[in-house]
Each structure stands twice: as structure tokens, then as C-alpha cells.
Amino acid sequence: MSKPEGTGFRKKLFGGFNNKDVIDYIANSARCWKNEKEALERSLADSEKRATAAALTVEKEKQEKAVLASDCQRKTELIRSHEGRITLLTGEVTRLTDENEALVTANAGLSASVAEARTAAAAAESALSEKTGALEAELAALTGENARLSAEFKAASDKAAALEAELASLKEKAAALEAENLSLTSRSDSLKTFADGIAAMLAGLNGKKPE
């Protein structure tokens, strides 16, 4: 039997194509489609795993962002508390300075008991100096702490902004993976429908008696 050009099928003696050639061709096509379908199913499974991992990463970033936001809020409140304390200490220093100046003025106006007044003034000035020094030291410490907390707050804000940007990027990747999954699922369904049709055709051809 000869084969017509371009088909690969041998002609039957009395017209038409050789049944075995047609069946072999359909079987080979079915195997090729089956292999492609299995490859697509593996790709779909891999995409689903990557989508799940991306979703977990997004959730983790959300939790870290919430923790940073809470820490920023706590440090902001602590800074405000320190600022209030600094204001109170500054007012106390001013009051004590005014009190010292009033004592010095009163001491200058005393003509009697000058020595006693000077001793009292010196003691008061010494006590005031010690208290003022302690208050100034506390003020300096609180000022340094306030600067440190401000730096930590800025660092936390910068990290929160970076996490926000990374979260947005992960959401875009997750959306792209979801779209890819839908496309792969649709293609897999189409291949399955085609494979079922090929299988039915093969079953019909195998069930016919050779001519």
C-alpha cells in the first residue's frame, strides 16, 4: 500500500486510509497531549505552592508591621512623657533660680545680723546649687533619652515604610500567581476535555472490525 504525500497514512487498496496508521497517529497525539497535560498539572501544583508561600509571607509582614506600629506608638507616648517631665524640671529650675535671686536681694537689704544672714544665704545657695545640679543632670539625661527614643522612632518608621512597600510588592506577586493559576487551570481543563475526546475516538476505532 502507498502513502499519500504529506499525511503519513497509507492508502487502502479500495480507497480511504489504513486503519492502523490512523489509530497509531491518534494514539501518538493522545500521548503527546497527555504528557503536556501532566506537565501543566505539575506547573499548576508548583504555582499553587508558590502562591501559598507568598500568602504566608504577606501575613507575616502584616504581623511585623502591626508590632512596629505598636512599638512606635509606645515610644511616642514615652517621648511625650519625657517632654512633660523636662518642662516641669525647667520650671522648677526657674523657680529655684528666682528664689535664690530673691534671697540674695533680701540678704543685701539686711543691715542687722549680716553674718547670720550671710550664713543662711550661703547654706541656701549651697543647697540650691546642689539641687540645681541634680536637676540639670536629670534634665540632661532625659534630653539624651529623648534624642535616643526619637532616633529609634525614626528607624521604626523607616522600617515600617519599607515593610509597607515590600507588602505591596508581595500582594502584586500573589495576584500574578493567582492569575497564572487560573490560566493553567483553564488550559488543563481544555486539555482534559481534548484527551477525553481522543480516548473516546480511540475506543470507537478499536471497536470496529478491520475492512
Side-chain angles (χ1 to χ4, degrees):
M1 297 182 188
S2 64
K3 296 184 179 180
E5 291 186 14
T7 63
F9 298 151
R10 292 171 295 177
K11 286 186 177 181
K12 291 193 297 184
L13 187 61
F14 299 103
F17 296 121
N18 183 275
N19 282 353
K20 185 176 184 305
D21 287 349
V22 174
I23 290 172
D24 289 344
Y25 174 78
I26 293 174
N28 287 333
S29 297
R31 279 193 297 273
C32 290
W33 281 107
K34 180 182 178 183
N35 291 336
E36 185 175 352
K37 175 178 175 290
E38 290 174 350
L40 285 172
E41 287 174 345
R42 289 192 295 271
S43 177
L44 176 61
D46 180 63
S47 295
E48 288 175 347
K49 288 180 181 178
R50 286 188 292 153
T52 301
L56 291 174
T57 303
V58 168
E59 183 61 29
K60 182 180 178 182
E61 295 292 347
K62 285 182 179 178
Q63 292 175 358
E64 289 184 4
K65 180 183 175 183
V67 171
L68 282 173
S70 176
D71 188 51
C72 288
Q73 179 64 28
R74 181 184 63 80
K75 289 179 179 177
T76 300
E77 292 174 356
L78 190 57
I79 288 171
R80 290 174 180 170
S81 174
H82 284 177
E83 288 175 347
R85 178 63 177 162
I86 290 170
T87 300
L88 290 175
L89 291 174
T90 302
E92 182 68 9
V93 169
T94 301
R95 186 186 67 78
L96 290 172
T97 301
D98 293 341
E99 183 179 327
N100 181 62
E101 291 175 355
L103 287 172
V104 172
T105 301
N107 183 59
L110 293 174
S111 56
S113 304
V114 173
E116 182 181 352
R118 284 179 178 176
T119 301
E125 186 174 357
S126 177
L128 176 63
S129 178
E130 290 179 3
K131 190 172 183 179
T132 301
L135 289 173
E136 287 176 348
E138 185 178 354
L139 177 61
L142 286 172
T143 301
E145 178 69 7
N146 185 49
R148 185 182 68 80
L149 288 172
S150 296
E152 288 183 3
F153 176 78
K154 184 179 182 304
S157 298
D158 292 343
K159 187 173 181 181
L163 285 173
E164 183 71 26
E166 187 175 353
L167 178 62
S169 176
L170 286 171
K171 285 182 178 178
E172 291 178 0
K173 290 180 180 178
L177 285 172
E178 184 176 354
E180 184 181 350
N181 286 344
L182 291 174
S183 176
L184 288 172
T185 301
S186 175
R187 190 172 179 185
S188 176
D189 291 341
S190 297
L191 286 172
K192 183 177 182 304
T193 301
F194 181 80
D196 290 342
I198 291 295
M201 184 183 298
L202 286 172
L205 289 171
N206 289 329
K208 293 175 61 178
K209 294 181 179 180
E211 296 183 7

